[in-house]
Amino acid sequence: MKNDNDIVLGIDFGTQSLKVGVYTVDGKHVYTASASYPTFHRKNGYSEQNANDWWVALQKAIQSVSQEVDSKMIKGISLCATSSTVVLTDESLNPTVPAQCWMDQRATAEEEEINSNQHFQVENHLLFSGKKTSVEWMTTKSLWLKKHYDLTGKRIVEQIDWINYQLTGELVASKCNASCKWNYVDRLEGFSESFFKEIGLEGITEHWPSKVLSVGDQVGNITSNAAEYLGLVAGVPIFQGGIDAHIGMIGSGALEPGQLSMITGTSFVHLMHHDKPVFNDSLWGPYDSPLLEEHWLLEGGQLSCGSIISWFLQEFYGHRTDKKEIYKELEMEINKIDPGCEGLLVLDSWKGNRTPYKTPYATGAFVGLTLAHNKYHIYRAILEAIAFGTKNVIRTMNHSSIPVERIIAGGGGTHNACWMQIISDVIGLPISIPKDIETGSKGAAIIASYGLGFHPTLKDASISMVEMEKTYYPDMEKTKKYDELFEIYLHLNQVLFPIMKRLKNGGGDQSEQHTRNEASV
């Protein structure tokens, strides 16, 4: 029976910090706490985190929650996390090396090795991931780990798996993560040992969690040790979540075909359900029911978005701490600049391109810089570049006859109203923003409410608990101008990607035709 004071926690482990959202079981926001942890970027594309930092940050955030709400009223918890952020541990789940963050690029050779494999079993299985694996994924990172470490007595788990284990003592995987990042295909009986054998990962599932749970299934209950450490009540049920952006679909209510979920943050993720499998080599998927049964999921994404803005702020405003005033200044100044920034155009693939070119070799570029440009032109050009990247993803979906009828955006990027308006102007579509923009933590809270039995299905829970707040509408005159610039953006990708690959490989000769194909438009 529902008590009006009953609450659930939705925990979202992001790239730079985690958020703990406190909600009633009906979806009303009560409180949000956050805590940060560092990412260490090193040469050769290494991006690492310390898994224990996540656990310490969770304690800090929960302590803040406990000052605002009675922990005895917490009836359920679920969480989502970045993916694939991979942890190599011993048998007791103690990390043995730093965790590879999702954006870690060290496994580019392993990505190419898997994707160039022409064996029938490999090609058939990769049909359900866009015919490729990614340097970001669990499969690719596991192959790198196998080559560089003795895996005897070792476990390879994702961030969400490790946190769930700390909470409950149960080691399980999420069907969401497994379907989208581990080459798990429900209709092909899950993991394919013959596929793994062909790509050099024979026996890898012995090192992964052996049990895969659907989103909303109960993982276990908080142990007494975890409860004491975090300041919670032992025995509270933990329900399975998934990838932060994907759980954001639930938190934004973007679950129907035609509704594009756009999660804005360090990276952008574009997600849409479809009632049948749609195969497009430039997209990721179709994933087999990772969130909702009988719902195929298509994915697009941009690796560098909020991270480029963070770079800009550090380089031009690193000496200042008054963020609100900085953004106020930037918005005022860039609104004086016309679309196109007086001939300045930026390419947004600073950490590689996820969609549609699927290459880790792409980097950023500023084209058209003159002595007349200032930092405000650069800032606006960055915002426009990320908007062009989003338009490119939508264009790719449209090429597969997938109509994008409505965009629902969530995540930290929606705080930037100027940016949201530019994206709407560039793509020529309205963008709706939910009342609770932290769609990852909200989605996890919805899962907990569903898991407790307060809603018959996850979709019903999302419909009941999500409310829209505002919508940005495009200025179609600006859209026409941006359409012309977008064609130049596409052409620059085609021309510059081969050069970027040569630079990333130390300037050595590369196959011009091969690299041009990576940026084919």
Side-chain angles (χ1 to χ4, degrees):
M1 179 179 295
K2 182 173 64 176
N3 185 314
D4 290 340
N5 293 320
D6 287 346
I7 56 176
V8 289
L9 300 187
I11 305 171
D12 179 3
F13 284 85
T15 302
Q16 302 174 62
S17 63
L18 65 86
K19 293 180 177 65
V20 179
V22 184
Y23 297 88
T24 68
V25 294
D26 291 329
K28 293 182 178 63
H29 178 258
V30 177
Y31 183 71
T32 295
S34 64
S36 62
Y37 34 78
T39 302
F40 304 97
H41 300 286
R42 300 197 285 123
K43 64 181 182 179
N44 300 322
Y46 283 39
S47 295
E48 298 177 328
Q49 293 181 343
N50 184 333
N52 290 312
D53 287 344
W54 309 330
W55 192 233
V56 172
L58 181 59
Q59 182 195 47
K60 182 177 179 181
I62 294 292
Q63 285 176 344
S64 178
V65 168
S66 298
Q67 294 173 8
E68 300 295 327
V69 301
D70 183 356
S71 61
K72 293 179 181 177
M73 302 312 297
I74 300 172
K75 301 304 177 185
I77 299 173
S78 183
L79 61 102
C80 59
T82 60
S83 181
S84 296
T85 294
V86 175
V87 191
L88 181 66
T89 77
D90 61 20
E91 287 284 6
S92 299
L93 274 291
N94 298 306
T96 58
V97 295
Q100 292 185 35
C101 192
W102 63 268
M103 67 176 72
D104 191 283
Q105 298 279 305
R106 76 186 70 180
T108 52
E110 286 69 29
E111 177 195 83
E112 290 185 345
E113 182 180 330
I114 295 171
N115 291 335
S116 63
N117 191 313
Q118 301 296 308
H119 192 276
F120 171 78
Q121 177 64 36
V122 176
E123 291 190 333
N124 184 52
H125 212 75
L126 289 181
L127 279 175
F128 295 92
S129 63
K131 285 193 175 180
K132 281 190 174 183
T133 186
S134 166
V135 68
E136 301 174 50
W137 290 3
M138 178 70 148
T139 308
T140 312
K141 287 184 167 80
S142 292
L143 183 57
W144 187 92
L145 288 169
K146 183 178 181 181
K147 289 180 178 180
H148 291 81
Y149 294 96
D150 179 2
L151 297 185
T152 304
K154 298 291 195 303
R155 294 280 190 181
I156 304 174
V157 300
E158 280 216 48
Q159 184 178 38
I160 186 173
D161 311 328
W162 191 82
I163 294 294
N164 275 333
Y165 180 83
Q166 302 306 312
L167 290 169
T168 68
E170 301 289 338
L171 180 59
V172 297
S174 168
K175 186 181 176 184
C176 176
N177 296 58
S179 298
C180 300
K181 310 292 181 183
W182 304 24
N183 295 105
Y184 178 100
V185 183
D186 208 17
R187 294 170 203 229
L188 297 181
E189 299 183 353
F191 293 125
S192 168
E193 294 301 335
S194 57
F195 165 73
F196 289 135
K197 180 178 180 181
E198 288 298 330
I199 64 172
L201 279 175
E202 184 174 7
I204 194 63
T205 54
E206 296 175 7
H207 303 281
W208 290 353
S210 59
K211 191 174 183 180
V212 178
L213 295 182
S214 296
V215 173
D217 287 349
Q218 186 170 342
V219 174
N221 301 86
I222 294 183
T223 65
S224 56
N225 286 340
E228 182 178 359
Y229 176 79
L230 296 173
L232 296 174
V233 176
V236 173
I238 307 294
F239 300 98
Q240 184 62 288
I243 303 169
D244 51 359
H246 299 56
I247 301 306
M249 292 185 77
I250 298 171
S252 68
L255 294 174
E256 295 290 347
Q259 297 176 341
L260 179 72
S261 170
M262 183 174 75
I263 305 301
T264 65
T266 302
S267 64
F268 274 22
V269 182
H270 313 84
L271 298 160
M272 181 183 288
H273 277 131
H274 210 270
D275 54 9
K276 62 180 183 292
V278 175
F279 298 94
N280 181 329
D281 297 357
S282 297
L283 295 171
W284 299 102
Y287 303 127
D288 187 0
S289 309
L291 290 177
L292 305 177
E293 293 303 318
E294 304 302 323
H295 283 64
W296 294 88
L297 184 62
L298 289 167
E299 177 181 353
Q302 297 165 259
L303 286 165
S304 305
C305 297
S307 54
I308 307 179
I309 296 174
S310 295
W311 170 87
F312 173 87
L313 293 175
Q314 177 59 39
E315 295 303 317
F316 290 93
Y317 291 92
H319 60 290
R320 288 174 54 179
T321 58
D322 52 334
K323 270 195 171 182
K324 287 186 179 180
E325 290 302 313
I326 292 171
Y327 277 113
K328 185 177 178 180
E329 172 192 326
L330 289 171
E331 182 172 354
M332 180 178 66
E333 294 296 331
I334 70 171
N335 280 332
K336 301 174 185 177
I337 301 171
D338 290 334
C341 301
E342 300 173 24
L344 176 60
L345 199 148
V346 174
L347 295 190
D348 56 311
S349 299
W350 291 32
K351 263 284 191 178
N353 180 277
R354 183 185 281 159
T355 307
Y357 310 121
K358 298 184 177 180
T359 172
Y361 295 105
T363 54
F366 289 86
V367 179
L369 268 174
T370 72
L371 295 176
H373 288 116
N374 57 37
K375 63 184 178 182
Y376 304 117
H377 292 91
I378 291 172
Y379 178 66
R380 183 178 179 107
I382 287 171
L383 300 185
E384 291 178 348
I386 298 164
F388 287 141
T390 294
K391 185 178 179 72
N392 207 8
V393 173
I394 293 173
R395 168 181 174 267
T396 304
M397 290 183 170
N398 290 338
H399 282 175
S400 287
S401 300
I402 305 168
V404 178
E405 300 166 357
R406 183 186 185 193
I407 296 175
I408 303 175
T414 60
H415 285 296
N416 191 328
C418 192
W419 192 13
M420 292 300 103
Q421 186 61 57
I422 287 174
I423 296 174
S424 178
D425 291 341
V426 168
I427 64 180
L429 288 171
I431 300 175
S432 297
I433 312 295
K435 186 175 181 180
D436 297 307
I437 65 169
E438 300 298 347
T439 53
S441 56
K442 180 63 179 285
I446 291 171
I447 291 168
S449 185
Y450 158 72
L452 290 166
F454 293 119
H455 307 274
T457 68
L458 260 178
K459 186 183 288 189
D460 288 325
S462 179
I463 292 170
S464 174
M465 296 174 68
V466 174
E467 180 183 352
M468 292 298 149
E469 176 136 24
K470 59 182 172 182
T471 299
Y472 295 90
Y473 294 94
D475 180 331
M476 297 311 294
E477 288 301 314
K478 290 182 179 178
T479 301
K480 290 178 184 178
K481 172 66 174 175
Y482 279 128
D483 283 346
E484 298 173 6
L485 294 168
F486 179 63
E487 293 303 316
I488 300 173
Y489 168 87
L490 293 176
H491 184 62
L492 284 173
N493 280 319
Q494 186 177 28
V495 171
L496 293 182
F497 276 13
I499 297 170
M500 292 170 178
K501 182 171 183 178
R502 291 183 65 184
L503 288 170
K504 210 166 185 181
N505 282 304
D509 290 335
Q510 301 291 328
S511 167
E512 187 76 5
Q513 184 62 45
H514 172 70
T515 50
R516 277 190 180 276
N517 287 342
E518 290 181 336
S520 175
V521 295

